[in-house]
């Protein structure tokens, strides 16, 4: 029986020498791999009490939306600045070279709602740390942060200390 890790393609030296790029597109392009990935993520949250799944642009949408559908929960996208049509709040965070800004609709989360944040991968944790801040500014309570993949060597969990962080597959390196 295959595991999610069996569907993840590793590309050495991309985007630069020494990096082992973990490619989730190989999971998505295989029907059984995609079903297995969503199923394994679902096992981690199906016993939780929560109201909303928030997906981080863009690959968080690919895993968060089917989870929300399967579990009959609302789905809320967190997008790059300028992509949402209604009134938003934003959060800017640091990248390796520069900054990025993400947004959420002001009415996307109601005070007191319990939220699971989903993304495909945790590396340094900056994007999800910013997403948590957005959810909390709207009065939501983050009950779990869920990833398909974790690159433990980049210490992203440190930025998310104090939150319930889960991942399906963990790689020790970068």
């Amino acid at each position: 029986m295959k595991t999610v890790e069996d569907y993840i393609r590793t590309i050495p030296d991309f985007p630069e020498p020494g990096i082992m790029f973990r490619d989730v597109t190989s999971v998505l392009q295989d029907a059984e791999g995609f079903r297995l990935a969503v199923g394994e993520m679902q096992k981690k949250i199906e016993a939780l009490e929560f109201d909303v799944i928030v997906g981080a642009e863009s690959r968080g949408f690919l895993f968060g939306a089917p989870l929300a559908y399967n579990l009959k929960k609302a789905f809320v996208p967190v997008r790059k600045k300028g992509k949402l049509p209604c009134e938003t709040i934003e959060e800017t965070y640091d990248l390796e070279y520069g900054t990025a800004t993400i947004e959420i609709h002001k009415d996307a989360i109601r005070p007191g709602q319990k939220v699971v944040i989903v993304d495909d991968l945790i590396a340094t944790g900056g994007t999800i740390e910013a997403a948590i801040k957005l959810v909390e500014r709207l009065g939501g309570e983050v009950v779990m942060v869920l990833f398909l993949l974790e690159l433990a060597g980049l210490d992203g969990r440190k930025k998310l200390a104090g939150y319930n962080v889960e991942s399906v597959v963990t790689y020790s390196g970068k």
Side-chain angles (χ1 to χ4, degrees), residues 119-154:
D119 205 356
D120 68 322
L121 175 128
I122 178 172
T124 63
T127 302
I128 297 306
E129 180 185 39
I132 288 169
K133 289 177 182 178
L134 290 173
V135 168
E136 290 178 344
R137 281 173 47 204
L138 293 175
E141 176 191 349
V142 176
V143 296
M144 183 182 283
V145 184
L146 176 62
F147 304 94
L148 181 64
L149 305 178
E150 179 174 355
L151 303 178
L154 293 174

Side-chain angles (χ1 to χ4, degrees), residues 43-107:
K43 286 178 189 175
K44 298 207 179 265
I45 62 172
E46 62 192 357
L48 279 179
E49 280 193 38
F50 69 97
D51 306 297
V52 178
I53 291 179
V54 167
E57 186 166 341
S58 66
R59 290 173 303 220
F61 301 172
L62 300 172
F63 296 102
L67 288 168
Y69 178 83
N70 288 348
L71 297 171
K72 299 178 175 72
K73 304 294 182 180
F75 178 79
V76 171
V78 167
R79 302 225 40 206
K80 294 173 186 168
K81 184 177 174 83
K83 300 291 185 181
L84 292 171
C86 294
E87 195 173 357
T88 62
I89 60 170
E90 65 182 49
E91 188 70 34
T92 299
Y93 60 99
D94 291 328
L95 299 169
E96 188 175 359
Y97 300 104
T99 61
T101 302
I102 57 173
E103 296 180 318
I104 191 170
H105 279 139
K106 272 190 171 182
D107 62 356

Side-chain angles (χ1 to χ4, degrees), residues 26-41:
S26 54
V27 175
L28 298 167
Q29 69 193 26
D30 185 288
E32 288 307 310
F34 188 34
R35 286 178 52 79
L36 181 60
V38 171
E40 291 299 311
M41 293 176 86

